[in-house]
Amino acid sequence: MLNGKNILIGITGGIAAYKICELIRMYKRSGANVRVVCTPNALNFVTKLTLQNLSQNEVGIEEFTTENYKPEHISYADEADIMVIAPATANTIGKIANGICDNLLTSITCAFTKPVIICPAMNCGMWNNVFVQENINKLKHAGYNIIEPEEGFLACGYNGKGRLCELEKIYQKTENLLTLKNKNLAGKKIVITAGGTIEAIDTVRYISNYSSGKMGIALADCAYEMGADVLLITTVNTSKPYGVINVKSAEDMKIAIEKEFDNTDCIIMAAAVADYKAKDQLNHKMKKTSEDEISITLIKNPDILKCLCEKRAKVLVPSNSCASQKAPLIIGFCAESENLIENAKNKIKNKGCDYLVANDISRKDIGFSSDFNEVSILKNDGTVKHLERADKYTIAKNILEEIYG
Ligand code: PMT
């Protein structure tokens, strides 16, 4: 898939630098041309000779050389299709987020106009540092692709979040970004929902579910990278280069979507919307009583997806007016723990949407909170397409490609 692609790897001074030798080999095996640029500190962990042999290219370190008439940072930036910075230290992340260019790697990053993947790796205390997190959010907001570090035993002896993500994740993200049918969603406005709705019982307690928002956010990221004008309506706090509206309850979510309805080409409901909410939502903390058992009466929430489809049906079947209102494509998700396809077939009819993406939420290795999913895409003409288990971004990409070709 990466045959002939030009990948620029930036290595900074962290112990995980040794792992990048294998990443270079993975890219090379798939036919990519790899160039490596290092900060001077990276060479404390890997040698220039190793990187040069593996990439079969000169390794860039010095910003100011006399051998090339072109400025080094601009020529590296011009040649590459994508830049992957791994491991990215807190120091380099801070520099990139603040526009500082004091070495070849940071100067190239500043001049780079194509996709950049940043893979932080550091001690867990550093990762949780308030300024590091501010910088990460700044980078996310600016459209950099951050692959967050993973939890585990760190080289410094600590246990926590900070170790470089699996190389397979970096490879997969590179492949996904380089093989997107570039910009084919340009000019489309897409509204995507993500996360579990939060239904208040009183001022401190609520009913919700295990949705992390990962599936909806992956769809939003992917649609944005395909050129769409994206609006994410979510219960999860996230920093993005596209529009984000934070909501809590199903009612809030419904209001936010309905505001967009008339100006939207597509609505994707990946959120796990609570079917019921507390009948009385107290505006104080409910007192503990002497009773061992209490009851809370639940009432139905609006079915947002169904309401949207009904609203669209009215737009699509105007009386004798010359209504020229746009009717958005509507895509639902379907979370089932048994009889997935059978239930999904009933659901797509009942809700009236164009596509329904069905996932089995009884499995631990996909669905709720997992980084992975496996889905079947049902179309309203009765066809079903199965997507094998993959990371949620890959699933998102395949869903969007199925819908938009
Ligand atoms: O967020 P993650 O941790 O990544 O997990 C992803 C996911 C499992 C939440 C996601 O893939 C998923 O399945 N989302 C839909 C969950 C759900 O509410 O499914 P449902 O079968 O109960 O509802 C069907 C559709 O109706 C959904 O599009 C839902 O958004 C919508 N709905 C449901 C109830 C309601 N009151 N209003 C709605 O609009």
Side-chain angles (χ1 to χ4, degrees), residues 193 195 210-216 250 269-275 301-306 331-336 347 351 356-357 359 361 367-370 373 392:
T193 65
Y210 291 113
S211 169
S212 61
K214 287 178 185 172
M215 188 66 245
M269 290 288 302
V273 183
D275 288 319
N301 251 331
D303 187 328
I304 307 173
L305 181 60
K306 198 168 177 177
I331 292 121
F333 266 69
C334 172
E336 295 291 338
K347 213 171 255 182
K351 304 252 185 184
L356 193 73
V357 182
N359 45 199
I361 48 151
F368 275 121
S369 295
S370 169
N373 215 350
K392 282 183 172 165

Side-chain angles (χ1 to χ4, degrees), residues 112-123:
F112 208 77
T113 52
K114 286 157 274 182
V116 179
I117 300 175
I118 297 182
C119 311
M122 62 196 75
N123 160 270

Side-chain angles (χ1 to χ4, degrees), residues 244-256:
V244 178
I245 296 180
N246 274 108
V247 292
K248 283 195 173 359
S249 65
E251 283 287 356
D252 296 345
M253 189 172 270
K254 182 169 181 278
I255 293 169

